[in-house]
Amino acid sequence: MIFNMEMEALSREEMTELQLGRLKETVKRVYERVPFHKEAMDAAGVKPEDVQSIEDIQKLPFMKKTHLRENYPFNLFAVDMKEVARIHGSSGTKGKPTVVGYTKKDLENWAEIVARALCCAGGEPGDIFHNAYGYGLFTGGLGLHNGIEHMGAVAVPVSGGNTSRQITLIEDFKPRGLAATPSYVLNIVEEMKKMGINPRETSVKYGIFGAEPWSEEMREQLEEALDIKAVDIYGLSEVMGPGVSIECHEVQDGLHIAEDHFYAEIIDPNTGEVLPYGQEGELVFTSLTKEAFPVIRYRTGDIASLNPEPCKCGRTTMRMSRIKGRVDDMLIIRGVNVFPTEIESVLLTFEQLAPQYQVVIERDGALDRFEVHCELSQEYASEITGNENAALAPLVKEIGHMIKNTLGVSVVLRILPPNSLIRSESKAIRVVDNRNKTQAAI
Ligand code: DLL
């Protein structure tokens, strides 16, 4: 079902025309109302009237996360506080939270965008929907919630954590839809097995998983484990929250961007140059309808590519690829660039391993040492008899070879006993950087 056929199936020309009109209004508004934008545009020598075609967006200066921090908490708002209806923010795992605001109209638009996303994922009015994204400053819980209600489904606002209770509610309420981070879904599956519940036999038919990078291999494992369709949902608080883009359940090949609300570009993260369709680079968004917190050419730090081809599902909206990772989470291992999701893709092809893993970086003299910590699966561990180290040596060698062959790097691999790594209740911590004893959530 397509929730808003008019907006999700416009021709490219119609979409561009709509976007241009909204872009002009947004640029004018921020220039007049937000000193930060006026100063940035003046410094770049560009005036609102210089934006006459959609390509002219490239004349506008970029916004970055540091600008949000410098203007903390409310200096980038384009409306009076009287008109703001809600505040959200990032979790602040990497510093002060970044604060964003919404007017009533913004919240209505967001609910509509998420309602479209739920239908894109295979949701239908009347569905019971188990929402295990965190409720609070994080946009996941409340963002999805309003969309569930707007679509005509029944929201079960469980939030994250207390996994055994989550499972009891899934057993009792019989939801068709489930939303959570993929790493938390792994945790739920594991807990179900411990409770003697077959995860393939619950009522859940589709999952809306995102808020953190995950691989195609992880999707396959989750779909198999729960016997569901799992789609990738993307978003970030600075741009809106969940729903900026989502895969369709029919094709599962790229995430449909809500293009009438967000204009996407891909740039070279080093030069800022706009890259052609299909080429991988940093994703940049401009909001086209937001009132309280408009963003102009916001550099997300996320790596993806764009595909303008209409989709077989009937939607014509631009699709972005699955996020490979964040620019700042890229590991440079002896000169080779590697994202944790690429390591995940290799690890998950080994059925002897559980799908949990962590990359640990240690300082080894003048060099960095990259260790990959993973876990044996419960089933495989119970089959091992005798000396465990000797039994695991061939497996360690095989995985090491596979990582070297596919990613071009050698890493130190540690296979730990089942249940050794910390389980996630929201966004998983995939990289632990012990060089300066800080942890990064990705
Ligand atoms: O994570 C919003 C969200 C909630 C998205 C629920 C999907 C579902 P933030 O906390 O501001 O917002 O974090 C945004 O998370 O820049 C990406 O780096 C990452 N991210 C979000 N979705 C995906 C995804 C929410 N599907 C940051 N794949 C973004 C990979 C994702 N990374």
Side-chain angles (χ1 to χ4, degrees):
M1 170 185 154
I2 298 185
F3 188 79
N4 186 335
M5 189 55 108
E6 196 195 335
M7 285 301 153
E8 295 179 77
L10 285 179
S11 70
R12 182 69 15 221
E13 295 68 39
E14 288 168 324
M15 181 57 84
T16 305
E17 200 188 318
L18 179 74
Q19 288 180 320
L20 179 59
R22 291 179 171 182
L23 174 67
K24 284 182 183 173
E25 272 172 40
T26 301
V27 173
K28 187 164 175 292
R29 265 171 62 83
V30 297
Y31 189 82
E32 287 168 359
R33 292 172 177 229
V34 187
F36 164 84
H37 288 291
K38 182 173 188 308
E39 280 160 29
M41 283 172 61
D42 285 347
V46 48
K47 295 264 173 286
E49 48 281 14
D50 295 334
V51 178
Q52 290 304 329
S53 72
I54 204 75
E55 288 75 30
D56 286 341
I57 197 169
Q58 295 178 25
K59 296 176 181 163
L60 298 168
F62 292 115
M63 264 177 99
K64 294 187 192 162
K65 201 168 201 115
T66 47
H67 297 138
L68 271 73
R69 297 219 169 96
E70 285 158 14
N71 288 282
Y72 178 86
F74 305 136
N75 285 346
L76 293 177
F77 285 16
V79 294
D80 220 64
M81 207 36 108
K82 285 200 292 283
E83 291 174 59
V84 176
R86 198 194 294 169
I87 302 283
H88 274 292
S90 75
S91 48
T93 38
K94 288 185 183 170
K96 253 194 180 168
T98 41
V99 178
V100 297
Y102 306 77
T103 62
K104 284 208 170 101
K105 181 77 193 143
D106 292 334
L107 292 175
E108 279 166 27
N109 283 338
W110 190 12
E112 145 87 22
I113 290 165
V114 172
R116 289 184 203 172
L118 298 176
C119 289
C120 204
E124 286 165 15
D127 282 357
I128 295 179
F129 198 95
H130 186 99
N131 186 13
Y133 282 116
Y135 280 64
L137 264 192
F138 176 52
T139 52
L142 282 164
L144 265 248
H145 184 102
N146 287 1
I148 297 167
E149 291 184 350
H150 186 70
M151 193 265 261
V154 182
V156 185
V158 199
S159 197
N162 203 343
T163 311
S164 57
R165 189 184 63 140
Q166 303 249 0
I167 295 168
T168 306
L169 295 183
I170 291 174
E171 288 283 283
D172 295 348
F173 295 177
K174 310 216 177 319
R176 265 191 90 232
L178 167 68
T181 58
S183 58
Y184 189 49
V185 180
L186 283 178
N187 196 346
I188 294 178
V189 167
E190 204 170 48
E191 195 66 28
M192 279 181 177
K193 289 183 183 160
K194 278 192 207 149
M195 290 166 73
I197 294 164
N198 182 349
R200 291 179 60 83
E201 284 174 4
T202 73
S203 56
V204 179
K205 293 282 175 287
Y206 61 96
I208 298 184
F209 305 153
E212 63 184 6
W214 55 311
S215 61
E216 199 50 45
E217 288 74 13
M218 179 75 87
R219 186 223 299 278
E220 280 166 26
Q221 287 218 358
L222 293 176
E223 288 193 329
E224 173 66 22
L226 284 154
D227 192 21
I228 58 167
K229 265 268 154 119
V231 304
D232 190 9
I233 183 167
Y234 169 83
L236 63 168
S237 40
E238 298 91 312
V239 174
M240 176 71 90
V244 171
S245 66
I246 188 162
E247 287 176 323
C248 56
H249 69 106
E250 297 96 334
V251 183
Q252 290 177 300
D253 180 21
L255 292 81
H256 290 272
I257 298 170
E259 268 194 286
D260 48 328
H261 295 278
F262 313 111
Y263 182 79
E265 297 170 271
I266 296 287
I267 63 161
D268 178 325
N270 298 316
T271 64
E273 182 204 346
V274 174
L275 299 176
Y277 293 139
Q279 214 158 308
E280 204 168 72
E282 182 177 350
L283 194 50
V284 169
F285 279 108
T286 298
S287 65
L288 300 172
T289 54
K290 275 171 74 185
E291 294 180 338
F293 189 85
V295 284
I296 304 288
R297 305 196 85 200
Y298 183 73
R299 293 184 61 158
T300 62
D302 296 320
I303 302 290
S305 59
L306 293 177
N307 172 9
E309 291 303 313
C311 181
K312 290 197 195 80
C313 72
R315 293 175 183 82
T316 54
T317 41
M318 183 89 65
R319 280 173 284 164
M320 53 180 254
S321 65
R322 177 183 273 291
I323 302 283
K324 193 169 182 184
R326 293 188 54 78
V327 177
D328 39 359
D329 288 323
M330 187 176 74
L331 309 165
I332 305 178
I333 307 182
R334 283 172 286 283
V336 182
N337 302 345
V338 178
F339 286 96
T341 46
E342 296 176 298
I343 296 175
E344 176 179 301
S345 291
V346 175
L347 296 177
L348 266 62
T349 59
F350 288 87
E351 58 186 23
Q352 298 95 326
L353 300 179
Q356 273 79 15
Y357 69 97
Q358 215 162 39
V359 180
V360 181
I361 315 171
E362 305 278 357
R363 176 67 79 185
D364 192 1
L367 291 174
D368 295 335
R369 191 174 74 242
F370 290 84
E371 294 187 2
V372 175
H373 295 187
C374 49
E375 264 182 24
L376 274 186
S377 74
Q378 200 82 50
E379 294 79 8
Y380 189 68
S382 59
E383 284 171 19
I384 295 179
T385 49
N387 182 325
E388 197 170 272
N389 280 345
L392 288 181
L395 182 62
V396 170
K397 206 167 159 195
E398 196 189 339
I399 299 173
H401 272 150
M402 180 101 153
I403 293 181
K404 174 88 185 145
N405 288 343
T406 34
L407 307 180
V409 294
S410 333
V411 293
V412 178
L413 189 75
R414 294 200 193 291
I415 304 186
L416 308 168
N419 298 313
S420 303
L421 296 169
I422 294 172
R423 296 319 191 228
S424 146
E425 292 196 340
S426 55
K427 301 192 187 217
I429 294 171
R430 296 295 190 205
V431 180
V432 178
D433 190 342
N434 283 333
R435 287 171 300 186
N436 44 15
K437 297 281 175 220
T438 55
Q439 290 200 337
I442 58 170

